[in-house]
Amino acid sequence: MKKVLVLAVMLVSTIITAQKMEIEKGDFAFLNGQTAINIEFDYSKLTLLKENKTEAQYIADRQKELNDKNKGVGDIWKKKWEGAKATIWEPKFLELVNIVLAKKDKDLSFQQDLSTAKYTLIVEATWIFPGWDAMVMKQPAKVSTTLKFVETANKSNVLLEISTKDAPGDQYGNNFSNESRIGEGFAKTGKSLASFILKKTK
C-alpha cells in the first residue's frame, strides 16, 4: 500500500511539473562555439487568465477588485505587479537557466544587457495564469512563452524559435503571492530551456 502511495505521489508530481516545449523553426547549430547569449524579455503580447485579458485590462480589473475590498490595497498591488518583472520573474529565469547549464559544465551563460553577444534570446511572455492559494486547496500558476534566438545586430533574423506552454509555478507549502507563483513558472521555463539545450547540443 505504501509503495502504491509513493508511486501515486511521484506520478502527480510528474504531471504537475510537465511542460510542453516545441521547436517551431530552426535548430541549435548556431550555439556551437558560443559562451554567452544576451537576453531580453518582452511582455507586449502578454494575455492573462482564461479570458485572455490584455495585461492593462488585467491590472485595471484586479486593482479595482482589491480596492473595492480594502481601500488602497489595489494600488499597492499594482506597484508590486509592475515591479515583479525585474525583481522576480526575470531573475528567476536567469538563475535557473544558468544554474542547470553550469551544473553540467556547459560553457554557456545568459545575461541581460550583453550588447556584445552575437546572439540574443528574446523571451516573449504570451500567456499567464496567476494561480491561487486558499491554504487547503491551491492552483499553481502557468506561464507560456515564445523563446526566440535572434542575431543581436539583426533581430528580424530568427535562428531558433521554441514555444513553451503552461510552465507550472508553485512552491512547497503555501504561497499567497501571485507574483511569486508566476516567478516559479519563469524559473521552470529557464530550467526546461537549459535541459533542452543540453539535450540538443551534446
Side-chain angles (χ1 to χ4, degrees):
M1 182 66 181
K2 184 179 286 188
K3 288 183 179 180
V4 173
L5 181 60
V6 170
L7 184 62
V9 170
M10 289 176 65
L11 180 60
V12 170
S13 176
T14 301
I15 293 171
I16 290 174
T17 58
Q19 180 187 8
K20 189 175 181 181
M21 280 194 141
E22 287 190 0
I23 295 177
E24 301 295 338
K25 63 178 291 187
D27 55 43
F28 289 86
F30 69 95
L31 283 179
N32 291 331
Q34 301 302 310
T35 59
I37 303 292
N38 182 45
I39 187 168
E40 297 176 1
F41 292 84
D42 180 2
Y43 304 93
S44 62
K45 299 176 183 177
L46 175 61
T47 60
L48 295 103
L49 304 173
K50 293 179 180 178
E51 299 86 352
N52 289 318
K53 295 182 180 183
T54 65
E55 184 180 13
Q57 188 60 60
Y58 171 75
I59 290 173
D61 292 348
R62 182 65 173 160
Q63 184 179 10
K64 182 179 185 303
E65 177 188 358
L66 293 173
N67 276 336
D68 287 346
K69 291 180 180 178
N70 295 285
K71 189 175 180 179
V73 171
D75 301 332
I76 294 170
W77 168 82
K78 182 181 178 182
K79 291 180 181 179
K80 286 172 58 181
W81 176 270
E82 291 173 343
K85 296 181 178 76
T87 60
I88 303 175
W89 304 353
E90 294 167 17
K92 283 283 189 179
F93 182 101
L94 281 162
E95 180 182 23
L96 266 293
V97 70
N98 286 323
I99 284 176
V100 173
L101 292 172
K103 282 185 175 180
K104 295 296 183 179
D105 297 320
K106 183 73 172 178
D107 188 17
L108 178 67
S109 66
F110 290 81
Q111 304 171 45
Q112 288 177 300
D113 303 317
L114 193 64
S115 59
T116 56
K118 186 174 182 179
Y119 301 110
T120 292
L121 167 61
I122 301 175
V123 180
E124 293 183 353
T126 55
W127 184 76
I128 289 175
F129 174 71
W132 48 267
D133 192 330
M135 294 191 73
V136 179
M137 296 180 65
K138 61 181 180 177
Q139 181 70 40
K142 295 176 184 177
V143 175
S144 296
T145 59
T146 299
L147 308 177
K148 291 183 179 179
F149 287 88
V150 302
E151 281 189 272
T152 301
N154 178 19
K155 292 179 181 175
S156 63
N157 183 16
V158 180
L159 297 103
L160 171 63
E161 182 174 321
I162 303 169
S163 63
T164 80
K165 187 175 180 182
D166 297 346
D170 200 8
Q171 295 170 316
Y172 290 110
N174 294 106
N175 182 356
F176 303 109
S177 167
N178 286 1
E179 296 74 51
S180 180
R181 280 194 301 274
I182 293 167
E184 293 304 312
F186 275 90
K188 175 63 178 176
T189 303
K191 182 179 180 180
S192 296
L193 174 61
S195 298
F196 208 21
I197 289 172
L198 291 169
K199 180 181 178 181
K200 295 293 185 178
T201 59
K202 286 183 178 179

